[in-house]
Amino acid sequence: MTTLSAASIPRTAREQARADVLAELKSIGRRHLAESGSAALSLRAVAREAGMVSSAIYRYFPSRDELLTALIVDAYNALGAEVERADAGRRRSDIAGRWMALCRGVRGWAIANSHEYALIFGSPVPGYHAPQDTVDPASRTTLTLVSLLHHGMECGAITNTGGAVPAPVRKDLIGLNSLSGMDIPAAVMLRGLAAWTQLFGHVSFELFGQFTNLIHDRDTFFAVQMKLVGQQVING
């Protein structure tokens, strides 16, 4: 007997109508983010542009924070999907190539979606506290990196070298292993996360104007920097 997945079960007209309204409200919300920033996001303003009375929007998003969370989850999932696609396009044993593909995937998505990048990696929104719903979407990019480290160890492109890892740091890295379901040595995980942090730091510098009047060929500079960063983790 064939079992239909939740995604393949046809929606009722009511469910489809609700999904369409949710998509429109989030689209308007993203546009308002680009125009006014996350701190100024207003349910009333979104409702007004959608042509609905302000009270009606609460049937979809009970608070401004619920809309903000939906936009954050969408942004993390979009970035995660882009990074996963970039990784899937390379041979599993091509660890250096996969690293560069991940880097280009992050940067390309960030440049194309700068306001959404700023929402998830920029300044915190005053008074907003991200709920548990954001954790799994936020983990997607990091788990792709952890998978890269795992395959690198398996094929010998990454070796367990480096000094001792302080106990408090080791404890956090063990927690990340538990989340990923992979057993990455602490020293390797530490180098991997250091590289990951440098990647996002570089992208943030570029998007938030720190390279203005300093770095002119951004593409070449990024490629050179990320190759150097990757060499901290990958043999050769």
Side-chain angles (χ1 to χ4, degrees), residues 13-231:
R14 183 189 297 270
E15 290 170 337
Q16 185 60 56
R18 180 176 176 82
D20 291 343
V21 173
L22 284 169
E24 181 186 8
L25 294 174
K26 289 192 292 184
S27 178
I28 294 170
R30 278 189 287 272
R31 188 159 60 252
H32 286 201
L33 283 178
E35 294 170 355
S36 307
S38 54
L41 185 64
S42 162
L43 282 182
R44 289 180 179 273
V46 171
R48 185 164 54 249
E49 184 170 335
M52 63 172 59
V53 296
S54 58
S55 59
I57 196 172
Y58 295 104
R59 295 200 298 268
Y60 300 93
F61 297 105
S63 69
R64 187 283 310 253
D65 283 4
E66 297 248 2
L67 173 56
L68 198 56
T69 295
L71 297 178
I72 289 170
V73 167
D74 282 357
Y76 275 130
N77 276 326
L79 174 59
E82 182 62 31
V83 170
E84 290 162 2
R85 279 193 296 271
D87 182 48
R90 307 290 303 201
R91 286 184 295 106
R92 298 298 81 192
S93 59
D94 182 11
I95 304 303
R98 286 171 64 187
W99 163 252
M100 293 302 296
L102 296 185
C103 293
R104 287 190 293 269
V106 169
R107 179 174 179 255
W109 183 88
I111 291 173
N113 303 274
S114 57
H115 297 290
E116 290 172 81
Y117 180 90
L119 175 64
I120 54 179
F121 294 111
S123 300
V125 180
Y128 175 78
H129 301 284
Q132 189 68 24
D133 294 355
T134 63
V135 173
D136 286 347
S139 301
R140 288 178 67 172
T141 55
T142 304
L143 291 178
T144 305
L145 168 71
V146 174
S147 175
L148 175 71
L149 298 177
H150 177 72
H151 290 140
M153 294 282 295
E154 283 188 332
C155 70
I158 298 174
T159 53
N160 184 16
T161 58
V165 178
V169 176
R170 183 180 295 274
K171 181 178 179 181
D172 289 334
L173 297 178
I174 290 173
L176 186 53
N177 268 335
S178 298
L179 177 66
S180 68
M182 302 176 196
D183 187 17
I184 310 295
V188 172
M189 185 74 83
L190 185 60
R191 298 203 314 273
L193 289 180
W196 206 228
T197 302
Q198 290 176 77
L199 163 61
F200 281 92
H202 184 112
V203 171
S204 294
F205 261 47
E206 180 173 356
L207 286 187
F208 301 150
Q210 303 302 317
F211 291 154
T212 302
N213 298 323
L214 178 65
I215 304 300
H216 299 94
D217 186 342
R218 306 281 175 83
D219 293 345
T220 302
F221 186 68
F222 179 79
V224 170
Q225 286 287 300
M226 290 306 105
K227 183 176 180 180
L228 289 173
V229 169
Q231 288 171 353

